[in-house]
Amino acid sequence: MLPEQFLTRMEAQLGEEFPDFLRAYDRPRAVGLRLNPLKTHCPPELPFTLHPVQWVKTGYFYDAGQRPGLHPWHEAGLYYLQEPSAMAPAELLCPLPGERVLDLCAAPGGKSTQLAGKMEGQGLLVCNEYSQKRAKILSQNIERMGISNALVINETTDRLAERFPGWFHRVLVDAPCSGEGMFRKEQAAIEDWSMENVALCARRQAEILDNAAKMLAPGGRLVYSTCTFSPEENEETMLAFLDRHPEFRELRLNLPWFTETQVGYRLWPHKLLGEGHYVAVLEKTEGQTERIPTEKGTKLPALWQSLAKELDITLPGGKAIPFGRTWFWAPEELPELKGLRVLRPGLELGEEAAGRFTPAHALALWLKTAKSVHDLQPDSPEIAAYLAGETLPGQEKGWTLMTVGGLSIGWAKGSGGMLKNHYPKGLRRRGQSH
């Protein structure tokens, strides 16, 4: 049951298209996945029925009954399950390798991981989420997708605006909203909806956008998006922002699948396969680029050097950052971290303790190969046993990169004809090995 006030507003908003909009709620929900360019070095043939998402080269619709989230390649980071219309904002931000990019409202990570794929491991991707609980989920998805150049933080947008004035080449604001495009997916979105909440969201969006504007360098691109239909949170928010910020102009692009509006674009669920989205693309024409202090790196410990030699690991350009006993490899432009709530300052290499260096799960997912590799077939009992945390037979000795169909998925340690399982306990699939 959709809210009565929502239906009244949508009828006034859509006019003769309103019956088509209502009928869209009767069709099965469109579901999609997006391939991860960081993991398609040996592109496997996916065992799912896929159809291309027209507005995203790496996006595909799939049959919901096939449940790709249960396939081992999901845990290997080969793809991210994402609602198809939600793929549009990151596509339109279009970051380039080597740029400084900010995803300001990043959880759970769909758009951040999409941006990372476009950046090809080069430059700096800052992924921020205000909610601490959601920031942890964001960090986990950054890890799963094998991303090495992301700084994951848990901050307010005003604090970030103070730290990073005029610094980013591109900023994505996928703003918290009233979630009208989530009505079919989440009953809670219907229960929480009200016109008062729409107005509250619009006020919050204005504040977030003002802070985002401060952080964008001149010539940079800002993309604003929501998964809601209300004009108050979309066109009206954008028009008010442009009035407050004459240093910004809207960019009009050739987007044949979307509906052009007074400002921005609509992805209507009755006009394409998706739950709906709003997106606007802006450029900052004036301002000043600021210099930001960067974090000082240090030398990696000898124990890491031994492990890297043992496994034949070569790291990209960057710098070493210790967090207690845990070591990270960060992009050169990693900003000074003091005073920031940091969850992940780059690629986690592992932990130095008790005279040993234990490689991190994140490192395994980033690697494409290693000196010692044990490959498992995606539909085999062995991969099910590995994901459940069981020991496997294997002749490899020492740290061994476990792969599934050629894609890295975790670590094991070989000795005496057996591979001791080092798949993280929190990720293990209990009871699925038999």
Side-chain angles (χ1 to χ4, degrees):
M1 293 291 292
L2 297 173
E4 192 62 38
Q5 279 186 298
F6 167 74
L7 291 172
T8 301
R9 193 201 70 209
M10 292 308 301
E11 185 172 16
Q13 190 173 340
L14 285 168
E16 61 184 19
E17 291 184 24
F18 180 64
D20 292 337
F21 174 80
L22 277 186
R23 279 191 288 271
Y25 284 88
D26 295 328
R27 68 157 195 250
R29 205 161 52 86
V31 288
L33 63 80
R34 186 175 37 73
L35 289 177
N36 180 8
L38 303 176
K39 285 287 220 171
T40 51
H41 51 286
C42 54
E45 186 174 335
L46 290 172
F48 316 120
T49 303
L50 301 178
H51 302 285
V53 174
Q54 298 93 323
W55 49 93
V56 183
K57 290 181 180 178
T58 55
Y60 295 87
F61 300 100
Y62 68 86
D63 180 350
Q66 295 180 312
R67 305 184 73 186
L70 298 179
H71 195 282
W73 279 331
H74 178 267
E75 304 314 310
L78 177 60
Y79 48 81
Y80 190 102
L81 303 183
Q82 188 174 23
E83 194 276 308
S85 55
M87 300 177 188
E91 195 73 9
L92 297 181
L93 191 69
C94 201
L96 299 174
E99 291 186 324
R100 296 186 296 268
V101 179
L102 170 63
D103 187 354
L104 193 52
C105 313
K111 296 173 179 67
S112 284
T113 57
Q114 189 174 353
L115 296 171
K118 290 180 172 294
M119 296 174 71
E120 301 174 3
Q122 301 171 50
L124 173 70
L125 174 62
V126 177
C127 311
N128 177 65
E129 173 55 43
Y130 173 69
S131 162
Q132 188 175 31
K133 181 179 179 181
R134 285 167 55 81
K136 289 179 180 178
I137 297 170
L138 166 65
S139 183
Q140 290 165 0
N141 279 321
I142 292 293
E143 175 177 278
R144 180 172 65 86
M145 302 297 275
I147 296 166
S148 63
N149 60 328
L151 166 63
V152 182
I153 53 179
N154 167 217
E155 286 292 346
T156 62
T157 62
D158 57 337
R159 288 195 75 226
L160 293 182
E162 292 175 6
R163 289 286 292 263
F164 303 113
W167 196 59
F168 291 100
H169 299 108
R170 305 192 187 234
V171 176
L172 175 62
V173 178
D174 184 49
C177 67
S178 59
E180 294 166 359
M182 304 287 285
F183 281 176
R184 293 205 308 163
K185 182 181 178 183
E186 297 179 5
Q187 179 64 28
I190 298 176
E191 294 170 355
D192 294 341
W193 186 90
S194 69
M195 288 301 294
E196 291 76 18
N197 190 41
V198 167
L200 175 64
C201 287
R203 291 194 295 272
R204 184 186 302 134
Q205 290 151 3
E207 179 184 350
I208 293 172
L209 277 166
D210 287 344
N211 288 325
K214 296 173 185 175
M215 290 185 273
L216 190 65
R221 177 176 290 196
L222 184 149
V223 167
Y224 173 76
S225 64
T226 75
C227 64
T228 203
F229 303 123
S230 71
E232 296 93 329
E233 299 176 72
N234 296 321
E235 289 87 354
E236 292 178 20
T237 288
M238 273 290 93
L239 289 169
F241 174 82
L242 290 169
D243 280 345
R244 294 194 305 274
H245 294 275
E247 74 276 19
F248 279 82
R249 70 182 183 100
E250 185 191 6
L251 297 180
R252 286 295 188 177
L253 308 172
N254 181 26
L255 303 174
W257 307 282
F258 308 155
T259 301
E260 192 171 305
T261 73
Q262 184 181 10
V263 56
Y265 303 86
R266 293 279 189 159
L267 285 72
W268 288 112
H270 60 288
K271 293 188 175 184
L272 49 76
L273 285 176
E275 298 304 294
H277 235 70
Y278 172 84
V279 61
V281 185
L282 307 179
E283 182 183 59
K284 191 172 185 178
T285 58
E286 304 172 15
Q288 185 174 341
T289 301
E290 301 286 347
R291 293 180 63 86
I292 302 295
T294 56
E295 187 75 15
K296 292 182 180 179
T298 188
K299 187 178 179 181
L300 283 165
L303 288 172
W304 160 260
Q305 305 291 356
S306 298
L307 179 72
K309 184 176 180 180
E310 174 191 336
L311 290 169
D312 195 21
I313 296 173
T314 301
L315 295 173
K319 54 192 175 186
I321 305 292
F323 263 49
R325 296 183 303 182
T326 302
W327 286 83
F328 289 83
W329 190 249
E332 287 288 359
E333 287 196 283
L334 184 78
E336 196 172 74
L337 301 178
K338 186 177 180 180
L340 291 175
R341 291 192 289 268
V342 177
L343 281 78
R344 185 177 297 271
L347 174 65
E348 185 180 354
L349 299 178
E351 182 178 323
E352 182 185 20
R356 297 190 300 270
F357 197 99
T358 303
H361 184 60
L363 177 64
L365 291 169
W366 173 77
L367 287 170
K368 291 179 170 59
T369 190
K371 188 171 286 186
S372 179
V373 175
H374 188 95
D375 191 48
L376 303 171
Q377 292 305 304
D379 56 354
S380 67
E382 288 79 15
I383 185 60
Y386 178 73
L387 293 175
E390 298 179 15
T391 299
L392 297 175
Q395 298 307 311
E396 295 83 3
K397 297 187 185 304
W399 286 109
T400 298
L401 183 67
M402 302 297 290
T403 61
V404 52
L407 297 172
S408 59
I409 196 166
W411 293 110
K413 198 168 187 181
S415 178
M418 301 300 291
L419 291 167
K420 183 181 178 182
N421 199 312
H422 281 263
Y423 195 68
K425 292 181 179 179
L427 300 178
R428 292 177 183 178
R429 298 181 176 182
R430 299 296 183 189
Q432 293 191 21
S433 62
H434 301 292

